[in-house]
């Protein structure tokens, strides 16, 4: 009987414990763990490791509280705020000292379930506790964190391919994008805060692959307008790539695919305050890569990236970095008609010093050196059309010194200022020997003898000063800044430009964000950009554009956001550039008869972009963007469409992840790009075959569509994991027309093919990656 009573008491105690667990509070955990769990749901959280140390304890909270509410409450207990900085992006900063009201409650986290093996936080470490504010932006930049990069089709071999889903970005299969109608050279690309001149492989063949192995990238921020004054030298947009780092431990990777062999390592020392990052890639011997339809040859590429960071004290850090690219390309669709032989080598090296003497002051000073070498040979032999050869060499070097300072006397006020000095030199040689058919030359208005030899050795030194002040009130934020850029070209004197800018943001409610910007953007010609093919003898004036942006963003919950943005950019000064009217995919475009020089008196782009994101739990992410835009050059006294104008563009991406298996699909559609009409006048006994060229870009190709797919599965082992993946581009094999190619004259005397040629056909890449190590 006593035994029975003891058993009853144990059963009652167990039942009481079960009932009590329904209303009990969660055991204390760390704030860092809460933020990691929040990031595992697909929300990007930026914070300082000094502001939120690993041992910062979170107070107990009811278990039924959603994850976002628990994170907000835990931060508030330590006088911290979780502030929205755009779609699915939050940043941790200190609460103002005078803040007496409870922090505003963020929308509840809906439709998310935490996986037991949630991935680690995609975080960005900065130095001082207040400097999360420095990394934030008033506008709504598009960001791609590691999780997004890992799931984007095509990004397994090239991190920049994830940008194809960003609104305002125009591309086909190239990794180098057009941003809101601007020229390719108008976009600044940075890595680790260092400006890179042209970090792409196969530069003369559509820039198919970027220099960034995804293993080296933590985050990519894309600014399509309204970017801060500290981003200088380019006028249209910024692609800012942050290097990968880990909080502790290390990870090594070995991989192979149809495109390349890959090695990488990232880690942080346990006994020494040192962190490292290194990657290396080399193309396979039988590289399954065809930059243009039907081409064959021996394209090969290699790159290596390294970064070592030493942090001797909590207030300072020293960084050494390097990047090397090497391309060797031999391509020819027919060795008797067109061929190209190219060797490109790019070398970058930099050193950086970070210093945070107090929690209110932070500086970063860098010195970087660039050495670029381009060697290109080509020939074109089209009977009855053209016969010529090309020999070009371009050497370009820079030394760049810049310093950035940020002073934050309070959590609501930030002063950002700095300076940059650059010395550039170039040695440019260009030799073209070419003779054209008389009728073809007359059709395009160029001489029969189109030969040219040029040699320039331009030199320049530049100086930039910039500063901005940023003030935050409870619901309103204002940033006013300006840049002064000065160039001194050897033998051509000095020039200067002033670029004022204003950015503002108003949050009428926690879920609504209104923002806008106005500013001047200038861009001086670099000496390596001189147009050798026309024997340019003096530098162009700096381009000048006025950019106006207005937008609204809404977050009904951290799982659902949308953004609507309107923009207008007007160039009052545009430098001349070259374009091919008919054949955009020529191996040697400088030898093609349809090569034309364009010298717009101005240009304009305007549009509206709508983007949205929705998370369905932790397994499914759905994103979409629609853009209505119009981009023109002022030519011949009228507005002429730029060749990459697209009236309507739609991108849809769907990503699914469950356990160790993931799949993603990207659909891209846009209005066909403009084309120049051309008709062939057949040969007669009196007149040879020639062409009738219509108004530039007065017609359009058919609509462009592509469907890209990525499948991946991770096989875990006791020591490491094996990732198996497949990337397929244009899986429907849609023939997207792009060009009209020249061919040797046949018995009818026609110098053109009967129909258009196409962009890239379907491309499939499969591979594996072996990962081992232990990181946090």
């Amino acid at each position: 009987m006593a035994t029975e009573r003891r058993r009853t008491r144990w059963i009652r105690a167990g039942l009481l414990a079960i009932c009590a667990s329904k209303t009990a509070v969660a055991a204390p955990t760390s704030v860092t763990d809460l933020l990691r769990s929040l990031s595992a749901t697909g929300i990007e959280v930026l914070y300082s490791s000094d502001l939120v140390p690993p041992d910062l304890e979170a107070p107990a909270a009811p278990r039924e509280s959603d994850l976002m509410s628990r994170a907000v409450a835990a931060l508030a207990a330590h006088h911290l705020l979780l502030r929205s900085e755009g779609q699915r992006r939050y940043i941790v900063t200190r609460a103002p000292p005078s803040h007496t009201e409870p922090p505003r409650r963020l929308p509840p986290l809906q439709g998310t379930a935490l996986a037991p093996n949630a991935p680690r936080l995609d975080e960005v470490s900065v130095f001082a506790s207040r400097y999360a504010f420095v990394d934030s932006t008033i506008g709504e930049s598009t960001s791609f964190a590691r999780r997004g990069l890992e799931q984007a089709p095509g990004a397994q071999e090239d991190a920049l391919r994830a940008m194809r889903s960003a609104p305002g970005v125009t591309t086909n299969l190239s990794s180098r994008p057009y941003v809101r109608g601007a020229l390719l050279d108008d976009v600044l690309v940075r890595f680790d805060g260092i400006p890179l001149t042209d970090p792409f492989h196969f530069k003369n063949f559509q820039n198919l692959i970027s220099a960034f192995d995804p293993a080296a990238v933590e985050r990519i921020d894309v600014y399509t307008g309204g970017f801060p004054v500290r981003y200088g030298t380019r006028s249209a947009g910024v692609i800012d790539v942050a290097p990968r780092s880990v909080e502790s431990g290390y990870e090594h990777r070995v991989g192979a695919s149809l495109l390349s062999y890959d090695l990488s390592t990232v880690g942080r020392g346990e006994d020494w305050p040192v962190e490292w990052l290194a990657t290396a890639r080399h193309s396979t011997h039988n590289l399954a890569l065809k930059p243009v339809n039907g081409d064959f040859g021996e394209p090969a590429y290699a790159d290596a990236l390294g970064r070592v960071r030493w942090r001797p004290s909590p207030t300072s850090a020293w960084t050494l970095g390097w990047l090397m690219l090497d391309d060797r390309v031999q391509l020819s669709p027919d060795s008797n008609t067109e061929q190209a032989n190219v060797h490109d080598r790019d070398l970058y090296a930099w050193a950086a010093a970070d210093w945070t003497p107090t929690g209110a002051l932070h500086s970063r000073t860098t010195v970087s050196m660039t050495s670029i070498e381009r060697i290109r040979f080509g020939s074109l032999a089209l009977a009855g059309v053209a016969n010529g050869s090309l020999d070009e060499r371009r050497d370009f070097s820079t030394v760049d010194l810049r310093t950035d300072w940020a002073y934050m006397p309070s959590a609501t006020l930030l002063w950002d200022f700095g300076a940059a000095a650059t010395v550039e030199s170039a040695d440019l040689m260009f030799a073209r020997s070419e003779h054209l058919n008389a009728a073809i030359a007359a059709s395009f208005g160029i001489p029969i003898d189109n030969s040219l030899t040029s040699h320039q050795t331009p030199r320049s030194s530049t100086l930039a000063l910039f500063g901005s002040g940023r003030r935050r009130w409870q619901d309103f934020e204002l940033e006013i800044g300006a840049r002064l850029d000065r160039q001194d070209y050897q033998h051509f004197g000095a020039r200067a430009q002033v670029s004022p800018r204003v950015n503002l943001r108003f949050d009428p409610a926690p879920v609504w964000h209104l923002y806008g910007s106005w500013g001047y953007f200038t861009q001086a010609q670099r000496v390596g950009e001189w147009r050798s093919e026309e024997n340019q003898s003096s530098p162009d004036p700096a381009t000048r554009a006025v950019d106006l942006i207005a937008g609204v963003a809404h977050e009904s919950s951290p799982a659902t956001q949308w953004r609507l943005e309107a923009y207008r950019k007007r160039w009052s000064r545009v430098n001349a550039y070259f374009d091919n009217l008919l054949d955009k995919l020529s191996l040697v475009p400088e030898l093609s008869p349809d090569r034309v020089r364009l010298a717009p008196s101005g240009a304009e782009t305007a549009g509206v972009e709508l983007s949205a994101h929705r998370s369905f739990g932790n397994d499914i992410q759905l994103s979409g963007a629609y853009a209505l835009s119009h981009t023109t050059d002022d030519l011949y006294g009228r507005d002429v469409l730029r060749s990459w104008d697209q009236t309507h563009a739609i991108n849809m991406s769907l990503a699914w992840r469950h356990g160790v298996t993931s799949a993603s699909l990207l659909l891209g559609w846009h209005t066909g790009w403009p084309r120049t009409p051309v008709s062939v006048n057949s040969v007669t006994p009196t007149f040879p075959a020639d062409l009738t060229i219509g108004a530039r870009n007065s017609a359009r190709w058919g609509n462009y569509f592509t469907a890209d797919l990525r499948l991946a599965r991770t096989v875990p082992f006791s020591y490491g994991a094996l990732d198996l993946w497949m990337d397929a581009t244009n899986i429907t094999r849609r023939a997207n027309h792009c060009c009209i190619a020249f061919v040797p004259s046949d018995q009818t005397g026609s110098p053109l093919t009967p129909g258009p040629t196409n962009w890239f056909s379907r491309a499939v890449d499969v591979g594996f990656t072996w990962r081992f190590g232990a990181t946090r």
Side-chain angles (χ1 to χ4, degrees):
M1 194 67 177
T3 302
E4 185 68 24
R5 283 196 299 269
R6 284 196 299 270
R7 185 181 302 166
T8 301
R9 284 197 298 269
W10 280 110
I11 293 174
R12 287 176 180 173
L15 291 174
L16 288 173
I18 294 174
C19 294
S21 68
K22 299 296 183 180
T23 57
V25 295
T29 185
S30 71
V31 177
T32 302
D33 288 339
L34 276 176
L35 297 180
R36 286 198 181 100
S37 298
L38 187 61
S39 178
T41 67
I43 296 172
E44 185 181 7
V45 182
L46 307 181
Y47 69 91
S48 162
S49 54
D50 291 331
L51 180 62
V52 187
D55 58 352
L56 189 65
E57 187 175 290
R63 288 186 184 273
E64 63 269 14
S65 299
D66 62 75
L67 189 58
M68 178 64 79
S69 298
R70 292 177 61 192
V72 170
L75 291 169
H78 298 282
H79 307 289
L80 303 174
L81 294 176
L82 189 61
R83 181 173 183 265
S84 172
E85 286 294 332
Q87 292 190 28
R88 304 183 59 75
R89 187 181 189 188
Y90 292 86
I91 200 161
V92 178
T93 185
R94 285 197 185 279
S98 58
H99 190 75
T100 57
E101 300 177 7
R104 291 185 297 182
R105 180 183 178 90
L106 292 171
L109 189 65
Q110 299 175 358
T112 51
L114 296 181
N117 56 346
R120 74 171 191 88
L121 173 67
D122 292 331
E123 74 174 62
V124 175
S125 296
V126 293
F127 276 92
S129 59
R130 292 173 179 168
Y131 281 95
F133 189 16
V134 176
D135 279 353
S136 66
T137 176
I138 288 182
E140 297 284 320
S141 62
T142 303
S143 297
F144 299 89
R146 280 198 58 78
R147 177 168 180 172
L149 297 176
E150 291 170 351
Q151 291 190 270
Q156 184 68 40
E157 292 284 346
D158 182 359
L160 292 194
R161 286 196 176 276
M163 298 188 310
R164 290 179 298 164
S165 61
V169 172
T170 303
T171 184
N172 41 63
L173 282 190
S174 172
S175 286
R176 189 173 186 178
Y178 296 97
V179 174
R180 287 184 172 174
L183 300 171
L184 291 174
D185 290 334
D186 294 351
V187 179
L188 171 66
V189 181
R190 304 199 326 168
F191 179 80
D192 197 20
I194 304 301
L196 306 179
T197 301
D198 199 2
F200 298 91
H201 292 291
F202 307 119
K203 299 173 180 62
N204 298 286
F205 310 101
Q206 294 81 54
N207 301 280
L208 289 181
I209 303 174
S210 81
F212 303 113
D213 186 331
V217 177
E218 186 71 37
R219 190 182 80 254
I220 301 175
D221 292 325
V222 182
Y223 299 86
T224 54
F227 43 89
V229 293
R230 66 178 178 271
Y231 296 112
T233 71
R234 303 287 92 181
S235 62
V238 177
I239 300 171
D240 198 4
V241 183
R244 189 184 175 196
S245 63
V246 297
E247 188 177 333
S248 64
Y250 64 92
E251 179 185 88
H252 307 313
R253 295 189 181 201
V254 179
S257 70
L258 296 179
L259 287 180
S260 66
Y261 307 108
D262 314 291
L263 295 171
S264 70
T265 178
V266 61
R268 185 188 296 263
E270 298 294 337
D271 300 324
W272 294 87
V274 176
E275 60 180 282
W276 70 87
L277 168 67
T279 66
R281 297 186 298 181
H282 195 287
S283 58
T284 58
H285 293 295
N286 297 314
L287 178 60
L289 182 66
K290 297 181 179 180
V292 291
N293 288 347
D295 287 352
F296 58 89
E298 299 179 0
Y301 73 92
D303 58 50
L305 182 149
R307 181 176 182 264
V308 178
R309 188 176 180 86
W310 175 48
R311 191 171 180 180
S313 71
T315 62
S316 63
W318 298 85
T319 304
L320 293 176
W322 64 92
L323 173 63
M324 181 276 292
L325 292 81
D326 189 85
D327 295 348
R328 299 175 185 269
V329 181
Q330 294 179 357
L331 288 175
S332 175
D334 184 344
S335 59
N336 296 320
T337 58
E338 187 181 27
Q339 57 184 334
N341 190 329
V342 177
H343 181 203
D344 294 336
R345 177 176 294 170
D346 300 25
L347 298 174
Y348 300 90
W350 66 92
D354 291 270
W355 184 46
T356 311
T358 69
L361 182 65
H362 173 248
S363 72
R364 189 169 201 260
T365 301
T366 62
V367 58
S368 61
M369 292 173 286
T370 302
S371 176
I372 294 176
E373 179 182 291
R374 309 267 187 269
I375 302 175
R376 186 160 62 109
F377 302 96
S379 64
L380 181 68
L382 298 176
V385 179
N387 192 304
S389 62
L390 176 71
D391 183 356
E392 182 183 26
R393 181 177 182 124
R394 303 176 70 86
D395 295 331
F396 175 54
S397 63
T398 67
V399 177
D400 181 86
L401 173 65
R402 63 186 58 225
T403 181
D404 294 87
W405 294 74
Y407 176 57
M408 197 171 184
S410 70
T412 60
L413 181 62
L414 171 67
W415 297 101
D416 194 359
F417 50 95
T422 306
V423 177
E424 301 178 332
S425 62
D427 190 358
L428 312 175
M429 293 184 293
F430 182 90
R432 178 177 60 206
S433 176
E434 182 177 36
H435 291 270
L436 303 174
N437 173 279
I440 298 299
S443 299
F444 291 101
I446 55 179
I448 296 176
D449 186 351
N450 199 30
S451 301
L452 173 71
T453 300
S454 68
H455 185 199
Q456 298 95 14
T457 56
R459 304 287 188 270
S460 74
S461 59
T462 64
L463 175 66
L465 302 174
F466 62 86
S468 66
R470 185 169 173 182
R471 179 74 164 86
R472 179 189 298 161
W473 291 268
Q474 184 172 2
D475 299 316
F476 182 73
E477 197 167 329
L478 175 67
E479 180 182 62
I480 299 177
R483 286 185 61 92
L484 171 63
D485 291 280
R486 183 181 184 276
Q487 308 87 39
D488 189 351
Y489 295 96
Q490 188 179 45
H491 307 308
F492 296 101
R495 305 168 181 179
Q497 307 87 38
V498 177
S499 308
R501 300 177 196 175
V502 178
N503 296 295
L504 54 87
R505 169 170 168 154
F506 175 57
D507 298 335
V511 298
W512 286 98
H513 312 293
L514 308 177
Y515 60 93
S517 69
W518 171 92
Y520 277 83
F521 294 83
T522 62
Q523 178 176 316
Q525 187 181 30
R526 294 183 293 218
V527 295
E529 297 171 339
W530 283 34
R531 296 179 298 280
S532 297
E533 65 177 291
E534 66 168 344
N535 198 20
Q536 181 181 351
S537 58
S538 61
D540 289 333
T543 62
R544 190 177 185 90
V546 179
D547 197 7
L548 181 64
I549 296 174
V552 56
H554 181 261
E555 304 168 26
S556 56
S557 75
T560 305
Q561 305 90 25
W562 60 264
R563 182 182 80 186
L564 179 66
E565 184 168 305
Y567 65 90
R568 179 183 181 271
K569 176 173 284 190
R570 174 67 186 175
W571 285 271
S572 58
R573 186 182 297 145
V574 183
N575 291 341
Y577 65 95
F578 284 87
D579 191 23
N580 285 60
L581 288 177
L582 306 178
D583 190 2
K584 310 293 184 183
L585 298 181
S586 173
L587 294 179
V588 278
E590 296 87 351
L591 295 178
S592 184
D594 63 331
R595 187 75 164 174
V596 294
R597 179 185 188 272
L598 303 173
S601 58
E604 181 174 287
T605 183
V608 177
E609 298 167 356
L610 175 64
S611 58
H613 181 94
R614 170 67 175 168
S615 298
F616 299 90
N618 194 37
D619 295 336
I620 300 177
Q621 309 285 328
L622 178 63
S623 300
Y626 165 75
L628 172 66
S629 61
H630 188 66
T631 304
T632 60
D633 279 323
D634 296 341
L635 289 169
Y636 326 119
R638 58 187 178 87
D639 291 339
V640 178
L641 293 175
R642 284 188 168 178
S643 297
W644 48 94
D645 172 84
Q646 53 186 34
T647 307
H648 304 279
I650 299 174
N651 289 314
M652 298 289 295
S653 64
L654 176 65
W656 170 81
R657 181 194 294 267
H658 183 71
V660 296
T661 305
S662 65
S664 55
L665 177 67
L666 175 65
L667 303 177
W669 176 94
H670 64 73
T671 306
W673 284 2
R675 66 179 178 89
T676 300
V678 59
S679 59
V680 181
N681 302 317
S682 300
V683 64
T684 68
T686 308
F687 298 100
D690 63 355
L691 308 174
T692 298
I693 310 298
R696 173 175 168 78
N697 289 343
S698 58
R700 285 189 181 272
W701 295 109
N703 295 334
Y704 180 96
F705 174 78
T706 183
D708 304 340
L709 177 68
R710 181 182 185 274
L711 303 174
R713 183 175 180 83
T714 299
V715 182
F717 291 94
S718 57
Y719 190 72
L722 179 66
D723 297 327
L724 305 174
W725 54 268
M726 181 198 74
D727 262 328
T729 302
N730 193 20
I731 58 177
T732 64
R733 301 196 69 173
R734 178 181 172 89
N736 294 298
H737 297 329
C738 78
C739 315
I740 297 177
F742 291 92
V743 297
S745 296
D746 56 19
Q747 61 272 19
T748 66
S750 173
L752 294 176
T753 57
T757 56
N758 304 322
W759 289 112
F760 303 82
S761 184
R762 181 173 59 198
V764 178
D765 188 21
V766 295
F768 72 89
T769 303
W770 173 264
R771 296 180 288 116
F772 56 95
T775 64
R776 284 188 64 186

